[in-house]
Amino acid sequence: MADEGLAAETVCQVALVVKDIEKASKAWAEALGLPVPEASLTGPAEETGARYHGRPTAARARLAFFNLGPITIELIEPVGGPSTWRDGLGEGGEAAFHHLAFHVRDAERTVERLRAQGMEVVQMGDFPGGRYIYVDGRERLGVTLELLASRP
Amino acid sequence: MADEGLAAETVCQVALVVKDIEKASKAWAEALGLPVPEASLTGPAEETGARYHGRPTAARARLAFFNLGPITIELIEPVGGPSTWRDGLGEGGEAAFHHLAFHVRDAERTVERLRAQGMEVVQMGDFPGGRYIYVDGRERLGVTLELLASRP
């Protein structure tokens, strides 16, 4: 694959926001025929440095993952401050599609390339071992993109 | 993986509905750093036997695919009669998430299992070599599921 655009080998994750992670995990486990995964809570803002539309946010999330070979289905229940997770869930609905994730080698260059195509960073934060960056591709691509970068 | 639920090895496809497949293909090609794929048109209703909410529909679609290793990103531009593609695109927007696809070994049994969990078939049709079945998991799972079955 050319070292352009996302320069990613493949989609690695499909993520949904959910109102109630226990309920959603159970429904997905039944649909997939897999065990119900345990949910975890992301770190506090001091640890993650979470930013939403350029400003620090106290947003956290409860996460659950289904590992399906090369793809992970991630369920995200928003907790705390403002976030694209909360935006994505909206007023109604138990669950909604949120983003497609791609591993990227050079997050800064990827963000620059996507910005040149008209897409902006809407949220980011650190997690143990890496950083996630949400780029708003909804208008141009129909979805939010997540760039996943390992921390050197 | 247990022979329950979808009994699928993994997600194989992430699909979006788009208003203009040439425009969307170009935008995705730029974002992914890949060549622009050529769009194809699905067969007429006589060939595909397309059904929407249980009734025959003249719906067709223009399709374009990006092959990303184990995952395909599919773009779908609705053409002709009523379809979940057209529903998914709604009034505004160039593109929107439509479904997650899974290869299944036994489509009939999978449909039965998902129906027992409260999810119904909303659209189906044949294509050369196989059949697709959309199951409405939006309320329960947050997404529409596509079952892809090879024709014996």
Side-chain angles (χ1 to χ4, degrees), chain A residues 25-38:
Chain A
S25 295
K26 191 166 174 294
W28 270 98
E30 280 180 21
L32 294 168
L34 289 175
V36 179
E38 204 167 325

Side-chain angles (χ1 to χ4, degrees), chain B residues 62-101:
Chain B
R62 299 182 67 214
L63 307 178
F65 298 91
F66 292 93
N67 293 310
L68 297 172
I71 286 286
T72 302
I73 293 181
E74 178 184 26
L75 306 181
I76 305 171
E77 180 191 314
V79 176
S83 63
T84 63
W85 306 317
R86 200 171 285 285
D87 298 342
L89 199 50
E91 291 304 310
E94 285 295 327
F97 175 81
H98 186 264
H99 69 255
L100 287 186

Side-chain angles (χ1 to χ4, degrees), chain B residues 47-48 125-131 149-152:
Chain B
E47 270 175 32
T48 63
D126 293 337
F127 57 86
R131 169 169 290 180
S150 301
R151 207 154 23 204

Side-chain angles (χ1 to χ4, degrees), chain A residues 40-57:
Chain A
S40 62
L41 179 65
T42 61
E46 309 87 79
E47 270 174 33
T48 63
R51 301 183 78 83
Y52 169 74
H53 288 289
R55 296 191 178 185
T57 175

Side-chain angles (χ1 to χ4, degrees), chain A residues 6 10 30-31 68 140-141, chain B residues 6 10 28 30-31 68 140-141:
Chain A
L6 286 162
T10 188
E30 280 180 21
L68 297 171
R140 190 171 166 81
L141 304 176
Chain B
L6 286 161
T10 187
W28 270 98
E30 281 180 21
L68 297 172
R140 189 170 166 82
L141 305 175

